[in-house]
Amino acid sequence: MEKFLRYLSGYVLVLIEGEQTERFLNLCRSRGIPIRRLTHTGEGQITAVFTVRHFFLLRPIRSKTKVHIRVLEKHGLPFFFYRNKKRKAFFLGVLLCICLMVLLSSRIWNIHIEGNVKNSTPEILEFLEAQGIVHGLAKSKVNCSQIAVMVRKKYPEITWVSARMEGTRLILTIQEGEMSQETKKEDAPCNLTADVGGTIVKMITRSGIPLMNPGDTCKKGDMLVLGRLDIINDSQEVVRYEYVHADADIYVSHELSYYYEFPLDYEAQVPTGNMKKGFYFKLGDWCLGLYGKRSDNWKRTVEEYPFRVTENFTLPVSFGKVTSEEYKTIQSTYTKEQAKALALKRLHLYEQKLIEKGVQISENNVKIEINQTACISRGALQVIEKTGTETSVEQQEQPIERTAEDG
Amino acid sequence: MKKRERWKENLVSALEVPRDLAYRDAIVTITGQGQAVIENYRSILRYTREEIVVLTLRGRVTICGKRLEIPCYTPEEMQVRGCISGIFLDRQ
């Protein structure tokens, strides 16, 4: 820091010659003139560094001690300006730079959003843009509390928003609460009906009256659990009906047919090894491409890199890398092993999809046949899957309560 | 005179006043063999690359060595840098 201040005010390296150099130093000390880098260079010769301000205080000391002072080097900002006083464009540039810095630092250049999980950053940025909060907006026009209110209003699942400015950054800290999911009316009475037909293998009923048992066969649309409870009295007569939300885990085993056929002849695209690389530069809608046009038998891969000033401030300028690869189309035929492997791969993919859906596969009866022209996989999969769709309960008229007089 | 001096010394030790404040004794701080800082000095008597003689209120401090330089010389302190071989104190 001291060096920087010395550079700002300017300093000189001087050679002091004479017989009373020690006296010169002591007089400097007594007058409060600090000396830096004091070096003895020879008999009656010392070099020292003085700031410009202190250098001009040396005259009376010099005449008192009769030493000779010679300036060897000049350093610092005042000398720099003096040396470059003819370079007007340079100073204009410095001035322009300062002006630009002042101008640019009074604007928002980075809108940073943190804490958001359910609402994506681009989505919130788009909303802010629609509200006039964009990159490059003057800081004086930014009202943090208003932004926080706007975001909270727009996104009800956001429970807390804090908007603050740090330098040229606008930081939005968000806390999201639990999504106010449309709470299913758990109390709403309903039945459970089968959405697939098959044999019931497992059934756990939590509420409602099960109409079928494990081992029974059901068809699509059959009622499995009734959401109506008949309240009976001691005489086994229905006193009233109560309706509940039927709830049960019902697993049904059924057959799922599978068929997949593909021809053995196919067109393969084999790369020839010829590869060309190119670039392009995009400014808005205007594009400057530095790659040749290729004929049909070329595959083109494009990677685009947009220029970003800050994390979310993308300029309409982008740079792209184009890789073109030549290929030739050849007619080919799968061998039996290849065709079988391909058919099996396809079947495994299908099974994987079923497992992801929560379906258990208990038996696989798919056979792969290969004839002269095609490979056919056909058969059935025995699967166990959960069933039970909520359907509305037919509301029955409540039975008329019999009194003692009726009896 | 001696009595007065003794009385002052007793007072200083009783009050636990540091000696550099009470008598303006010189403080010489040595950091390794390359640097020394002298505080509470009066003036430079001699300065060459091999020897620096500094006058203090109570005597002289002589710093001997090779390539001795004074990077900082202010009214409060004096920094000496170089290859220091010895520091000698002479009482007046």
Side-chain angles (χ1 to χ4, degrees):
Chain A
M1 189 66 192
E2 194 198 326
K3 273 187 179 177
F4 178 69
L5 289 175
R6 217 189 310 158
Y7 181 82
L8 280 185
S9 57
Y11 60 93
V12 285
L13 176 72
V14 294
L15 176 72
I16 303 153
E17 284 176 298
E19 288 177 0
Q20 301 178 45
T21 47
E22 281 88 1
R23 192 180 167 215
F24 175 85
L25 296 177
N26 292 331
L27 283 172
C28 284
R29 181 186 173 270
S30 63
R31 289 176 190 218
I33 299 171
I35 306 171
R36 308 275 166 198
R37 282 160 55 189
L38 190 62
T39 317
H40 187 267
T41 49
E43 192 57 42
Q45 273 189 348
I46 50 171
T47 57
V49 168
F50 292 93
T51 59
V52 173
R53 187 168 67 87
H54 291 126
F55 178 74
F56 288 112
L57 302 174
L58 295 177
R59 181 175 282 185
I61 305 171
R62 189 196 63 176
S63 48
K64 226 178 210 180
T65 54
K66 294 188 177 66
V67 292
H68 189 72
I69 298 174
R70 191 147 52 95
V71 176
L72 297 178
E73 288 169 21
K74 296 172 185 175
H75 298 278
L77 213 57
F79 299 110
F80 175 79
F81 281 135
Y82 185 76
R83 273 199 301 273
N84 298 290
K85 63 183 176 187
K86 283 185 182 172
R87 297 176 179 172
K88 290 183 181 67
F90 171 75
F91 290 108
L92 202 70
V94 171
L95 195 74
L96 199 70
C97 177
I98 293 167
C99 290
L100 270 173
M101 263 179 71
V102 171
L103 187 79
L104 295 179
S105 60
S106 65
R107 288 173 182 271
I108 294 290
W109 294 113
N110 185 6
I111 301 174
H112 176 76
I113 300 164
E114 57 191 22
N116 55 319
V117 178
K118 289 159 192 164
N119 300 292
S120 68
T121 304
E123 191 187 338
I124 298 170
L125 282 173
E126 204 174 303
F127 167 69
L128 289 175
E129 200 177 328
Q131 302 301 320
I133 313 296
V134 288
H135 289 95
L137 182 74
K139 277 156 86 174
S140 56
K141 288 182 185 169
V142 176
N143 185 340
C144 289
S145 52
Q146 199 187 343
I147 292 170
V149 170
M150 281 193 306
V151 173
R152 256 202 318 271
K153 264 190 188 171
K154 171 74 181 172
Y155 303 99
E157 63 275 12
I158 292 175
T159 51
W160 181 80
V161 181
S162 144
R164 66 182 195 280
M165 278 193 286
E166 272 181 20
T168 57
R169 295 178 88 200
L170 174 66
I171 300 169
L172 281 166
T173 312
I174 288 169
Q175 265 187 15
E176 291 169 338
E178 285 296 309
M179 284 279 263
S180 57
Q181 287 175 337
E182 284 179 30
T183 47
K184 286 179 190 171
K185 282 190 177 176
E186 290 288 325
D187 308 334
C190 67
N191 297 326
L192 285 182
T193 51
D195 46 6
V196 284
T199 313
I200 298 168
V201 289
K202 193 176 166 190
M203 191 168 180
I204 302 162
T205 313
R206 281 182 287 274
S207 71
I209 297 171
L211 300 179
M212 289 197 180
N213 295 312
D216 292 351
T217 308
C218 66
K219 284 183 282 180
K220 189 180 176 182
D222 280 357
M223 197 180 293
L224 299 173
V225 181
L226 184 66
R228 192 191 73 212
L229 304 177
D230 300 344
I231 311 296
I232 52 173
N233 59 12
D234 294 341
S235 322
Q236 300 297 312
E237 292 168 335
V238 178
V239 181
R240 66 174 194 280
Y241 300 117
E242 283 211 352
Y243 297 95
V244 293
H245 180 91
D247 186 15
D249 291 335
I250 307 152
Y251 294 91
V252 173
S253 171
H254 66 100
E255 212 173 60
L256 204 65
S257 55
Y258 177 83
Y259 184 86
Y260 179 68
E261 181 184 340
F262 63 91
L264 293 178
D265 295 331
Y266 68 102
E267 282 186 351
Q269 293 177 345
V270 182
T272 58
N274 280 347
M275 202 182 267
K276 303 273 179 194
K277 285 190 176 176
F279 305 95
Y280 71 87
F281 184 73
K282 206 167 155 188
L283 179 70
D285 294 332
W286 180 78
C287 183
L288 174 70
L290 298 170
Y291 54 91
K293 286 194 174 178
R294 306 279 166 218
S295 57
D296 290 342
N297 289 341
W298 285 80
K299 269 185 198 170
R300 185 171 286 170
T301 318
V302 179
E303 287 173 57
E304 193 167 298
Y305 304 95
F307 283 96
R308 289 171 192 274
V309 179
T310 56
E311 57 172 329
N312 291 322
F313 183 20
T314 314
L315 294 177
V317 182
S318 48
F319 168 79
K321 256 192 338 192
V322 181
T323 312
S324 304
E325 196 179 5
E326 195 188 17
Y327 67 88
K328 60 182 178 188
T329 311
I330 53 165
Q331 291 292 330
S332 189
T333 310
Y334 289 119
T335 60
K336 278 190 176 180
E337 287 75 25
Q338 280 176 333
K340 198 172 179 182
L342 198 65
L344 273 173
K345 197 179 166 187
R346 191 85 190 187
L347 179 63
H348 285 317
L349 276 174
Y350 180 69
E351 284 177 346
Q352 203 68 39
K353 271 186 190 172
L354 287 176
I355 290 165
E356 277 171 19
K357 281 185 197 168
V359 176
Q360 294 173 42
I361 299 161
S362 57
E363 266 180 59
N364 183 349
N365 300 319
V366 177
K367 284 182 180 166
I368 298 165
E369 296 163 15
I370 299 166
N371 57 26
Q372 294 296 319
T373 55
C375 172
I376 303 162
S377 322
R378 78 173 102 209
L381 296 168
Q382 193 69 32
V383 295
I384 299 169
E385 68 177 302
K386 199 177 173 183
T387 186
T389 314
E390 290 176 8
T391 52
S392 58
V393 186
E394 199 181 322
Q395 300 273 342
Q396 297 254 350
E397 202 176 317
Q398 292 288 353
I400 300 158
E401 203 174 330
R402 291 176 68 188
T403 57
E405 285 171 9
D406 294 336
Chain B
M1 189 69 184
K2 272 188 178 177
K3 239 183 183 180
R4 200 175 155 189
E5 283 247 326
R6 204 175 298 148
W7 181 83
K8 192 182 172 184
E9 237 170 65
N10 287 341
L11 186 72
V12 165
S13 59
L15 293 174
E16 293 181 357
V17 179
R19 287 184 68 85
D20 58 306
L21 291 177
Y23 301 109
R24 290 207 65 203
D25 272 353
I27 302 172
V28 183
T29 314
I30 308 165
T31 312
Q33 284 191 324
Q35 189 177 306
V37 178
I38 307 170
E39 291 168 69
N40 287 348
Y41 68 97
R42 274 174 67 185
S43 59
I44 290 184
L45 286 182
R46 190 162 57 251
Y47 171 42
T48 60
R49 283 176 80 82
E50 286 76 33
E51 188 186 53
I52 298 173
V53 183
V54 179
L55 187 68
T56 66
L57 272 177
R58 297 200 149 211
R60 288 176 181 182
V61 177
T62 309
I63 299 176
C64 300
K66 284 176 187 172
R67 301 185 300 279
L68 295 179
E69 283 179 14
I70 305 173
C72 177
Y73 181 76
T74 61
E76 291 80 33
E77 63 172 34
M78 181 169 87
Q79 211 182 80
V80 178
R81 204 178 285 165
C83 186
I84 298 167
S85 57
I87 295 179
F88 304 97
L89 306 172
D90 297 328
R91 205 178 166 90
Q92 263 180 351

